[in-house]
Amino acid sequence: MTPFHRNLHIGYITSLADRIDRPDSYEGAVTDHLRMSGVYWSLTGLSIVCGQEDGVGDDGAPPAAGRRSRLDSLMGITKELERPTPPEPPSAGPPARRPSRPSVVDFVFACYDPSSGGFAGNVGHDPHLLYTLSALQILVLAGALDDARLDRRATAAFVDGLWVAADGSFRGDEWGEIDTR
């Protein structure tokens, strides 16, 4: 059986944020509007990989508290993540301190529009049904669905307002895109 290189997978997933946040990152520029979904898929990927590492319960799912703790240490899901300072060449002077990354939950709420109840794909973007789903799933993974910043009624009204009663489909956003997935 081929070995599963867990640490390589963890290293790759946890390096994505730094790679796409670089000012010269092409990937970061073209996926800026997809950031919420990228965070969700990174967290679920790590959750699966860490579940194998930390032990799995009878139902196949790792214990929530242990998973959350491991995700916190890897991606800062509920707390700021200290980012290691990359090594500087000797002639560059003292190393520049890299700012810590806000918690994933704080990022999610930075994308929240309390006036509509929806979540955007990134800070400064319009709320959308798909990113609202990803944001809520992230909050569930983080155990933060009861966070006081979330107005559940407004979010439910946002989703309900996108429903097209005539055929049961949903518009993705206020501009009328019909989601065909």
Side-chain angles (χ1 to χ4, degrees):
M1 181 171 171
T2 305
F4 180 69
H5 300 281
R6 178 176 293 107
N7 289 335
L8 292 176
H9 289 276
I10 290 171
Y12 174 75
I13 294 170
T14 57
S15 73
L16 290 174
D18 284 337
R19 288 183 24 211
I20 63 175
D21 282 346
R22 286 192 338 251
D24 64 341
S25 170
Y26 173 76
E27 295 88 354
V30 299
T31 63
D32 184 65
H33 65 290
L34 304 170
R35 190 66 52 98
M36 186 70 71
S37 293
V39 170
Y40 168 72
W41 288 110
S42 295
L43 287 173
T44 55
L46 282 174
S47 183
I48 290 167
V49 171
C50 292
Q52 296 299 317
E53 181 178 274
D54 295 338
V56 177
D58 292 336
D59 62 354
R67 179 181 63 227
R68 213 170 289 131
S69 173
R70 182 74 168 134
L71 291 175
D72 241 348
S73 69
L74 292 170
M75 283 188 69
I77 190 168
T78 61
K79 63 182 180 184
E80 278 192 1
L81 184 65
E82 291 297 322
R83 297 164 62 190
T85 303
E88 296 277 340
S91 62
R97 175 143 171 82
R98 293 173 67 190
S100 61
R101 182 180 302 285
S103 77
V104 170
V105 170
D106 287 339
F107 164 74
V108 168
F109 281 108
C111 298
Y112 182 57
D113 176 22
S115 65
S116 72
F119 290 85
N122 205 342
V123 177
H125 292 252
D126 292 332
H128 192 280
L129 181 66
L130 297 178
Y131 305 121
T132 298
L133 172 61
S134 291
L136 293 173
Q137 290 170 318
I138 291 167
L139 294 176
V140 168
L141 281 170
L145 204 51
D146 291 329
D147 191 296
R149 294 174 283 186
L150 178 64
D151 181 343
R152 288 179 172 206
R153 288 179 191 231
T155 301
F158 174 76
V159 173
D160 185 59
L162 296 173
W163 183 56
V164 180
D167 63 7
S169 65
F170 283 86
R171 292 178 293 122
D173 56 28
E174 67 179 304
W175 310 109
E177 164 212 10
I178 300 295
D179 191 82
T180 59
R181 283 169 266 200

